[in-house]
Amino acid sequence: MASTNTNPDPPADPQRPAFVPLEANPEVMTALLRRLGLSAALAVHDVYSITEPELLAFVPRPALALLLVFPVSATYEAQRLAEDAAEPEYAGRGEGEPVLWFRQTIRNACGMMGLLHAVGNGPARGFVEPDSTLDKLLKAATPLAPAERSALLEQTPALATAHQEAASRGETAAPDAQDDVDLHYVCFVKTEGGSDGKDGGTLWELDGRRKGPIARGRLGRDEDVLSEKALLWGPLKFLEREGGDLRFSCVALAGALD
């Protein structure tokens, strides 16, 4: 899992904040989100396959967000840099921006970034408990520019504490916060179009390493992040690009089963 040339995070620096990498474990992620203030009506679920309908059927629908964990390869980095080169630095802020996006400045915090993107956008935002840590954080972040949002995350002790506890509960031995890790999280969410949602919505790719949020395409009213089009524009592109590397996994945010 360690790498010296494909680590997606900022360079190791004892003077900068760093998190222990978060395992893609639905139970751990659900507990983390609920501790921060997500309603018990939602939970994180394993996505056992994105190509077999009978396995996708295990996830409650609609799925409100999809988190993909993938290996950061030289092929991916070349594609990312080429796509980002054509885009300006994102400067969105305030209630009018299409999605709430965070730039990642905390080393090895991509799992937390993915979860914040998942609950901070689309219908999931309505399941954040009032006056909770999440509620206060998302409200405080909304009017800020990207650099100020990053500083806010770095200066929120409750976030670091909850993350540390969750990272220690994984099923595998957790790396050190300063370790080089070549696996990365990206989040896909659907934002509703129109005031009544009848116009469908946009599929967004949210990754704190990019220059900003990326609109991947329009989805119909009855399509979610696990619909055929969303999977084709999102995780299946990653799988196709990486060929034989099987270190991919997905989890989805959707209604709780218990």
Side-chain angles (χ1 to χ4, degrees):
M1 189 171 174
S3 170
T4 58
N5 61 357
T6 57
N7 174 48
D9 289 308
D13 182 351
Q15 305 304 314
R16 299 288 299 163
F19 284 178
V20 173
L22 187 65
E23 186 178 282
N25 180 311
E27 181 180 346
V28 169
M29 289 180 158
T30 298
L32 170 58
L33 288 174
R34 289 180 180 174
R35 172 174 175 173
L36 291 172
L38 186 68
S39 164
L42 295 184
V44 179
H45 303 266
D46 269 317
V47 178
Y48 296 109
S49 172
I50 56 174
T51 58
E52 301 176 61
E54 62 273 20
L55 295 179
L56 274 174
F58 283 100
V59 181
R61 308 292 283 273
L64 306 185
L66 178 66
L67 273 69
L68 169 69
V69 186
F70 66 97
V72 176
S73 66
T75 301
Y76 169 76
E77 283 294 88
Q79 180 274 329
R80 177 184 71 84
L81 292 171
E83 188 174 28
D84 280 358
E87 299 297 327
E89 290 288 345
Y90 183 70
R93 61 194 296 173
E95 296 290 346
E97 66 179 327
V99 284
L100 181 67
W101 176 78
F102 293 93
R103 177 175 290 116
Q104 182 185 342
T105 57
I106 302 172
R107 183 174 171 81
N108 288 331
C110 58
M112 175 61 83
M113 303 298 292
L115 292 175
L116 289 177
H117 286 141
V119 300
N121 293 289
R125 182 75 176 260
F127 289 87
V128 175
E129 299 287 358
D131 297 321
S132 64
T133 298
L134 266 180
D135 184 48
K136 294 174 182 176
L137 180 65
L138 296 175
K139 286 178 177 176
T142 297
L144 301 179
E148 296 168 326
R149 286 179 183 169
S150 297
L152 175 66
L153 297 186
E154 292 182 10
Q155 297 162 12
T156 303
L159 200 66
T161 300
H163 186 282
Q164 173 64 32
E165 180 181 306
S168 68
R169 295 183 55 212
E171 294 181 354
T172 58
D176 184 78
Q178 295 292 347
D179 280 357
D180 283 332
V181 176
D182 67 353
L183 295 178
H184 187 62
Y185 283 83
V186 61
C187 178
F188 296 92
V189 299
K190 176 191 176 184
T191 54
E192 299 297 335
S195 59
D196 57 6
K198 291 183 178 180
D199 296 331
T202 300
L203 178 72
W204 291 90
E205 180 180 325
L206 303 174
D207 180 348
R209 293 186 69 222
R210 305 300 296 262
K211 280 190 172 180
I214 304 169
R216 288 305 185 193
R218 294 283 297 175
L219 296 175
R221 183 182 180 187
D222 296 324
E223 294 178 302
D224 65 3
V225 296
L226 291 180
S227 66
E228 184 176 350
K229 280 197 298 188
L231 292 173
L232 181 63
W233 295 336
L236 285 173
K237 276 196 170 184
F238 285 75
L239 283 168
E240 180 183 5
R241 182 171 51 237
E242 298 307 323
D245 197 326
L246 301 179
R247 293 176 300 156
F248 286 83
S249 61
C250 289
V251 295
L253 182 67
L257 296 175
D258 47 22

